[in-house]
Amino acid sequence: MTRTGARTGAGAGVGSGARARSGVRSGARARTGVGNGARARSGARNGAGARTRLPTAVLTVRAAAALLAVAGLGHTLWTGIHDPGHALAFGVLITVGELARWGALPGEREPAPLGAAGALAYALLGRSGGESTHHGVLQVVAVLVAAHLVACVPHVARGTGPAPDQVARRVLTVTFAAVCFQPLYNSSRTASWSGEGPYYVLLLLAILVLTALCDAVLAALLLRSRTRHPYPPLLRDELRGLLGIGSAVCATGVVMALGVAVAGLWALPVLCVPLLLTHVSFRRFVAVRTTYRQTIASLARSTEIAGYTPHGHARRVAVLCRAVGRELGLSGNRLTVLEHAALMHDIGQLSLVDPVPDGATATLPAAEQRRIALLGGAVVRQTGVDPEVAVVVERQADPYREQPLSARIVRAVNAYDDLCGESLIGPLGALEQLRLGTAHDFSPEVVESLARVLARGGPAPVLPG
């Protein structure tokens, strides 16, 4: 539904447009928290300026990775390369894996799984063909960095180089695995603790589990520093991702290290095949998911093309809903359902014979609003989209106390975007009217979360015209 709070809320709480505007001009400013709205506007400006500076956490992670890279390369050049054949073989494997990220689609959690598995295998390599290896932690870092530099050349020439944050994470996590294993193995402690049997395999798996947790913590930290979303939901998303391609990377890393320990370097090409097949399957899955989302976005634009809603309205609502959902702790599938419902929340207006001016359905009777919402849910169900998306679309016209959280978010954010389009109100007046409607129409928790997102420089409204 569009403008579900622009003039009357959902019919009762906000009141008439005149009463809302008088609340904007009168002493209701202090009561509704105009100070917070002003801070939201100034925060948006400050956030826009702050985007030119990297957050402290990002700078710290990059600096740590850069220091490790310099130390690894410098030490290896100074002392020479131990077991150069193994260093070359694993360096080539990592390079090939990084080159395989060519054509990676947006949303891929691990675009170079073969490179990651090869780096982990080299960090956990203690024997080759029954003979002990002698490389240490700094040589592992040097081989990894050198392979990344070689693989970056064609990517940079094409203008699609890997993200610096992703490279920094790879350096830090592989270094963590090497620090956990190489000193223990080179001092013969692993032989006394676990021997060469099943306990040795369990030790490698334990190290990889800790390494995967380290990578998840770093990934969530970097994302938190850039988006300022709550940390726990971000960490849950990263940990959930470990069950997919992450588990395949870790398992292949262990198998490579064990296979080379017994059969030598000839085991590497054979052991790469399963992960390559997994990579291809994962790439296809991401392509299907991207097409699925593009289909939903195209359906959402049908109301704009038909002239029922303003241009870009569904996209703006979806972006802001996702940010507010993160603020309220949503993650994983719940966040995806929220985004898809926000994109398709107005599709029920296609059932109207005559469009409501500017898509403002607030002047319609409550029964008509409910009918449009139910028709929108029926359309969503026929598209084959997740049924939970249809439920959110259907429930957006209900009183907020009876709505699920996703429907509350869509309702409040949709009203905010509509109100921002009114030249006499703008973002400040929109927040004030939402606060005026918290008695009946909008969830106070959602409205305050929206204000916090805007105060941090969240997605800004795009005014029409």
Side-chain angles (χ1 to χ4, degrees), residues 224 227-238 240 320-336 338 405-406 409 445-446 448-450 452-453 456:
R224 166 70 176 85
T227 64
R228 301 184 184 179
H229 293 316
Y231 184 77
L234 298 178
L235 182 59
R236 284 198 299 270
D237 278 350
E238 294 299 327
R240 189 180 293 110
L320 198 49
C321 276
R322 189 175 181 87
V324 175
R326 286 281 193 190
E327 182 72 18
L328 291 171
L330 298 184
S331 63
N333 185 62
R334 296 184 66 190
L335 199 63
T336 302
L338 171 62
L405 179 58
S406 297
I409 296 173
E445 181 185 19
V446 173
E448 294 310 314
S449 297
L450 172 62
R452 289 195 297 270
V453 169
R456 293 198 303 261

Side-chain angles (χ1 to χ4, degrees), residues 10-38:
V14 175
S16 67
R19 188 179 74 184
R21 291 189 177 87
S22 68
V24 173
R25 295 190 295 267
S26 68
R29 284 181 174 268
R31 180 166 57 85
T32 57
V34 177
N36 291 337

